[in-house]
Amino acid sequence: MLELGAAGLVVYQLSRDEAGIPRCWVEPVRPWPGPGGEYGWAADPEPARNAILDMLAATGGGPALLVVTHAGGATDQALAWLREARPDAAAGTAPGADLTALLRRAMAEDPLTLSYDLVVLTRAPGSGRLEFAGHPLFPIGSRRGDTVGVPFHCEFSDPAGVAFAVVAWEGKTPDLLSLHAAALPPGAHELTAELRAPGRVRLTGLSGLAPDRRDWSDLIASVPGHWRPHASPSHLICAIETCGEAYTVGDRLDRAEQMVKEAAGRLPGRLRVSLLTYGAHAYEFKAKQEPVRVLEWAADPARSLDALTRLRLDLTVRPGYPDGAQVEDMLAEVLDGLGREHGGDHTALLIVGGRPPHPPYARSHILPCPDEHDWEELALRFESRPGATLGVICDRPADQAGPEWFRLGRAALADLSSVDIPAFGTALGLAARDQRINFPLM
Amino acid sequence: MSEQEDSDHIAMWGAPGSGKTTLLAALSFALLQRRGPWRLVGTDPASIEILRDKSAALARREFPPATIDIERFRWLLLGDPVQLQKRFAGRFNGKARTMPAPRVGLNLIDPPGGVYTDKERPADHAKLLENLQRSRGIVYLFDPIREFEDGNAFEYLHGALIQLASRMLAEDAPSDGRLPHYLAVCITKFDDRRVLETAEKLNLVTTDPDDPHGFPAVDDENAQTLFHNLCDISASGSAEFVMGALEQYFRPDRIKFFVTSSIGFYLKPGTRGFNPRDYQNMVRKPQDGTNGREPSTEFEIRGQARPINVREPVTWLAEQIYADQLKPGNGR
Ligand SMILES: Nc1nc2c(ncn2[C@@H]2O[C@H](COP(=O)(O)OP(=O)(O)OP(=O)(O)O)[C@@H](O)[C@H]2O)c(=O)[nH]1
Ligand SMILES: [Mg+2]
């Protein structure tokens, strides 16, 4: 577009960028060749005409529109010459108009030529693979003022928050139009997107939404390949041996309590706690087996702490068979309990005890488990569950714990009297080991 | 008569904790229970009582406490002449029914194991040696478990053997320079996993087709092989000398090996057959921390005591002695 104004000729280069957004480049004014002014170039028109046609040539492509904003001798004459040179260009007059403002408005009203999407992640149902996808916000033809509500779900993210990226699709490649972020608690949310102009989408409905300064490619790279649902609730299972001296059992209960508190503090609202106690097998003649007790299963931490307190009050410590304890029965019980659950949650099994498990058959001085439970096989089965960690707080230091505890505690083994609970919690995966997912999930 | 009986007795010998007292209990248990050519009776009220008590304690699944004082038992093995006649056919000359019941004195002295080497109890020590010397047969207990752990059998045996030999040889030297005793070498604690596994590895384990429970057993012919191998894996490595010492002091034709267990294998109540996955019959007792009392023995018997091969060494000795009694020129 050429503006024929009082001062001279102004070239407006109008185009769409790769995202389909109308763009306008206003070139500096090219002054009319002198002497023109009020009376035109009547005296000697030829040089002026040549100069104006040179200016036209310098604009590159032919103008589609000639607009006269200042009526007068020189502009009229220039218009006549230009029309002569470009008979196909439309021409009009708008005396005194602010063309820049008019253009801006027109561009904003321009319907979209590409569709706009919000960048989200989807989760493949079987594998849990995370894949990028575009959630449609505005289809082609959408206009300024169109709004759309977008319900989404989010997980734990980096402290900078969940990124909301609006892209335009040109063929197969998205073009990033805008990038915002908001620090949101995990869960369901909804945002509203409003098309303000081509290329301009206003997001509302989320508190703390602000431009995201993170590097786009870093953000893309931060997305894990697979959905590991640790970020959903963690399950801490405390299995406590109740044999031995009363004060030792008391110490074990203390450790379990400390761990529950530590984990609950780290994972507010996201921790479930199970509580089991186990004792010794009874090999005395015709003695009845004392079963593993499940005091709480996947309960609220507070509830489990109450149960621990009750346990402390009415615990009868039985000495029992001195060489082993029902670790293997407890493992079977835990696997049984977990079997009913949908897999995937992070599960930390903490064993607090001293006596080693019984072998499944006669192979050591420790008498075999009456049910022939194989603790090694059961431990392996537990460990092979996705998101499962097994840790042991043993009555004795690691170098005296014995091969069974060494094996069971290979991910985490500590000593009852000196365990560093926060560090042990981290080793059990009860720390902020959550996946960081920096995009909304659909 | 009573002198004769005294001189024909059987003595018992074994390192501390090798299972002497338990074997005695098992022996009374087994001889009282099983039918066979030999019966066991007490000869005085105290011995009768002990006989009853020991087998009752075993039936209660208790191990005897470690022996502190020498205990004497005057028992008598009474042979059934009809049954024995078959075995000793020819020697009875058809006079079995008119003969008095064969009898072998089982004057057992159950010493605290330590006494054989204990120089601080010279009186007891002398009595023991005398008892050994005067006996015709010796039940020698070799405890492979102790050998795995301490390996003290040789030291123990050798000391006593040298003393015994020097006493005997000084008095009336046997012609071949060996002791005249019959020796039943009992490998004890066959029920223990380590002993059973050693026997299994050596392919020595069989089962008696007549055994309703199918318990593992080692035939007497193979017992010596097991003994040799147990000596090989002994903790001190000196157990191999045990064999040498036995052969040096006793006549080879008067030594016989037995694989024994006083308590036998565990049989789960309500099941019939031996379970190779769960057969250990000894269980460590709970240590009751709440009342501060330590149990008198560390272990107890898990199920019923089912003695293995405890009768056989004693009756073998009795029969050897009895056969000698029948020999012409023996005054009978
Ligand atoms: N496995 C197994 N252990 C046995 C058997 N007999 C005895 N024991 C164990 O060996 C320990 C000692 O047995 P005792 O019969 O007291 O041995 P001892 O030779 O009389 O010992 P002292 O009197 O101290 O010389 C028992 O307490 C049991 O623990 C057996 O048949 N099998
Ligand atoms: Mg004893």
Side-chain angles (χ1 to χ4, degrees):
Chain A
M1 184 172 86
L2 290 185
E3 179 183 359
L4 290 75
L9 195 68
V10 180
V11 179
Y12 294 83
Q13 297 277 12
L14 288 166
S15 64
R16 285 185 193 280
D17 64 13
E18 61 273 27
I21 304 166
R23 300 282 177 200
C24 178
W25 173 248
V26 187
E27 292 178 3
V29 184
R30 297 157 199 243
W32 298 122
E38 190 77 17
Y39 307 103
W41 297 279
D44 185 10
E46 213 40 39
R49 183 170 176 270
N50 289 338
I52 285 171
L53 291 179
D54 283 350
M55 282 158 68
L56 177 65
T59 62
L65 187 62
L66 304 169
V67 183
V68 179
T69 52
H70 178 84
T75 49
D76 289 351
Q77 180 60 74
L79 179 63
W81 286 332
L82 289 170
R83 294 202 64 169
E84 212 179 277
R86 290 279 186 278
D88 50 332
T93 47
D98 177 353
L99 275 191
T100 315
L102 278 170
L103 269 174
R104 190 175 295 134
R105 188 134 18 100
M107 289 189 326
E109 300 289 346
D110 194 41
L112 297 188
T113 56
L114 294 174
S115 58
Y116 286 8
D117 287 358
L118 182 70
V119 176
V120 297
L121 289 170
T122 59
R123 213 166 57 202
S127 64
R129 247 182 80 88
L130 286 173
E131 277 157 5
F132 279 104
H135 177 78
L137 292 178
F138 302 107
I140 292 171
S142 297
R143 287 177 175 278
R144 170 185 165 86
D146 286 358
T147 55
V148 59
V150 184
F152 64 94
H153 175 86
C154 71
E155 288 297 335
F156 276 84
S157 67
D158 286 337
V162 178
F164 297 92
V166 179
V167 293
W169 286 94
E170 166 82 86
K172 288 216 151 198
T173 49
D175 237 305
L176 182 64
L177 297 180
S178 68
L179 183 58
H180 289 82
L184 299 172
H189 299 273
E190 177 158 358
L191 70 79
T192 307
E194 181 190 354
L195 184 62
R196 301 288 296 160
R200 267 177 62 215
V201 174
R202 186 160 76 190
L203 303 177
T204 53
L206 302 172
S207 67
L209 196 72
D212 192 343
R213 307 256 163 257
R214 283 173 289 187
D215 182 76
W216 179 241
S217 49
D218 286 352
L219 261 177
I220 300 274
S222 78
V223 174
H226 283 80
W227 160 258
R228 217 186 37 209
H230 290 190
S232 58
S234 283
H235 187 179
L236 169 62
I237 305 171
C238 296
I240 306 155
E241 184 199 316
T242 54
C243 310
E245 304 288 345
Y247 65 82
T248 310
V249 178
D251 277 359
R252 294 186 197 133
L253 293 175
D254 287 349
R255 297 305 181 219
E257 184 181 321
Q258 288 160 6
M259 187 55 82
V260 171
K261 285 182 174 161
E262 173 74 23
R266 289 180 182 195
L267 305 163
R270 296 172 47 224
L271 182 71
R272 293 174 302 137
V273 177
S274 294
L275 209 58
L276 292 88
T277 59
Y278 65 92
H281 278 303
Y283 294 102
E284 296 96 318
F285 194 61
K286 290 191 176 155
K288 239 189 81 202
Q289 295 290 334
E290 198 65 43
V292 173
R293 284 174 69 203
V294 182
L295 301 178
E296 292 289 349
W297 188 263
D300 194 66
R303 214 186 131 109
S304 296
L305 288 171
D306 284 350
L308 265 173
T309 308
R310 280 198 306 279
L311 178 63
R312 208 185 289 273
L313 292 176
D314 59 30
L315 185 72
T316 39
V317 176
R318 288 195 192 81
Y321 177 71
D323 294 339
Q326 303 163 315
V327 180
E328 70 288 349
D329 290 31
M330 176 277 293
L331 286 170
E333 187 74 43
V334 165
L335 280 166
D336 207 39
L338 290 174
R340 295 190 296 266
E341 299 199 347
H342 56 283
D345 284 7
H346 172 50
T347 310
L349 171 58
L350 169 65
I351 308 175
V352 195
R355 298 182 190 176
H358 293 267
Y361 59 90
R363 65 171 188 211
S364 81
H365 70 286
I366 306 170
L367 293 179
C369 167
D371 293 321
E372 299 196 12
H373 285 140
D374 182 341
W375 62 269
E376 279 174 296
E377 192 244 330
L378 292 166
L380 212 59
R381 246 171 72 198
F382 174 80
E383 288 167 333
S384 61
R385 292 176 64 92
T389 325
L390 175 57
V392 172
I393 298 181
C394 182
D395 289 358
R396 298 172 299 280
D399 56 339
Q400 296 159 35
E404 294 90 352
W405 288 127
F406 213 71
R407 159 65 189 87
L408 288 170
R410 69 180 176 194
L413 176 63
D415 154 20
L416 186 65
S417 60
S418 66
V419 54
D420 174 349
I421 291 290
F424 202 76
T426 305
L428 276 178
L430 291 167
R433 205 179 65 149
D434 309 301
Q435 272 185 333
R436 303 297 174 158
I437 298 187
N438 292 325
F439 285 93
L441 281 152
M442 289 282 175
Chain B
M1 184 75 184
S2 94
E3 250 190 12
Q4 177 86 45
E5 273 175 18
D6 256 353
S7 65
D8 283 347
H9 74 245
I10 296 172
M12 193 161 53
W13 188 20
S18 55
K20 294 181 294 295
T21 312
T22 313
L23 186 81
L24 265 184
L27 182 63
S28 44
F29 190 74
L31 282 171
L32 285 175
Q33 280 194 338
R34 274 196 58 168
R35 293 177 165 277
W38 295 95
R39 269 186 321 127
L40 189 66
V41 293
T43 56
D44 57 50
S47 297
I48 290 169
E49 201 182 304
I50 286 176
L51 190 59
R52 211 180 41 226
D53 283 358
K54 289 251 181 275
S55 58
L58 205 66
R60 285 197 306 272
R61 302 175 317 281
E62 289 171 9
F63 280 108
T67 310
I68 296 164
D69 275 320
I70 296 183
E71 287 193 81
R72 289 180 184 76
F73 311 94
R74 290 171 161 273
W75 294 342
L76 202 57
L77 277 169
L78 288 180
D80 176 347
V82 180
Q83 287 194 52
L84 287 171
Q85 186 190 11
K86 292 170 193 151
R87 234 174 280 183
F88 296 94
R91 292 184 186 164
F92 281 97
N93 296 326
K95 291 184 286 178
R97 279 172 205 286
T98 61
M99 295 225 1
R103 44 180 59 202
V104 176
L106 192 58
N107 279 16
L108 283 166
I109 291 195
D110 180 19
V115 171
Y116 281 110
T117 50
D118 195 348
K119 304 280 160 9
E120 283 170 24
R121 293 165 74 174
D124 285 347
H125 185 70
K127 252 201 205 96
L128 266 166
L129 280 177
E130 195 185 314
N131 177 54
L132 271 184
Q133 184 186 348
R134 292 186 55 195
S135 70
R136 302 286 310 278
I138 298 172
V139 179
Y140 169 64
L141 277 71
F142 175 81
D143 177 358
I145 302 308
R146 289 281 164 132
E147 276 308 301
F148 288 137
E149 286 161 5
D150 308 333
N152 63 357
F154 176 71
E155 185 191 316
Y156 177 79
L157 174 87
H158 200 241
L161 268 181
I162 287 176
Q163 292 174 55
L164 180 63
S166 59
R167 276 176 79 121
M168 301 237 357
L169 300 179
E171 281 180 25
D172 47 3
S175 51
D176 61 353
R178 288 195 168 104
L179 296 169
H181 304 74
Y182 290 95
L183 182 70
V185 179
C186 297
I187 299 163
T188 60
K189 309 183 185 176
F190 177 51
D191 61 283
D192 187 281
R193 184 183 55 87
R194 291 163 288 184
V195 186
L196 177 64
E197 282 179 358
T198 306
E200 275 169 346
K201 278 198 202 98
L202 296 168
N203 261 323
L204 299 179
V205 175
T206 57
T207 42
D208 177 355
D210 293 335
D211 180 354
H213 303 305
F215 287 130
V218 175
D219 291 341
D220 294 346
E221 307 86 74
N222 292 325
Q224 189 169 353
T225 312
L226 179 61
F227 182 78
H228 274 289
N229 280 278
L230 289 168
C231 286
D232 281 349
I233 56 176
S234 138
S236 68
S238 70
E240 59 180 294
F241 298 120
V242 172
M243 197 59 221
L246 291 178
E247 280 169 353
Q248 183 189 341
Y249 287 102
F250 294 94
R251 289 166 53 178
D253 61 328
R254 294 194 171 188
I255 305 179
K256 187 166 179 186
F257 290 84
F258 298 87
V259 179
T260 72
S261 166
S262 299
I263 60 171
F265 295 106
Y266 175 68
L267 204 60
K268 191 175 170 183
T271 63
R272 280 197 63 76
F274 172 77
N275 179 0
R277 296 174 64 83
D278 186 8
Y279 56 80
Q280 289 149 299
N281 205 12
M282 198 165 83
V283 57
R284 207 144 80 85
K285 284 189 196 169
Q287 275 145 350
D288 197 341
T290 50
N291 64 10
R293 262 191 296 127
E294 280 292 309
S296 59
T297 54
E298 215 186 332
F299 294 97
E300 63 189 356
I301 304 165
R302 184 174 167 202
Q304 195 187 313
R306 300 170 187 277
I308 296 173
N309 242 6
V310 298
R311 220 166 35 91
E312 288 77 354
V314 177
T315 54
W316 176 74
L317 289 173
E319 282 166 12
Q320 304 313 304
I321 295 165
Y322 178 63
D324 283 352
Q325 286 173 4
L326 291 179
K327 274 186 188 146
N330 213 332
R332 288 210 171 196

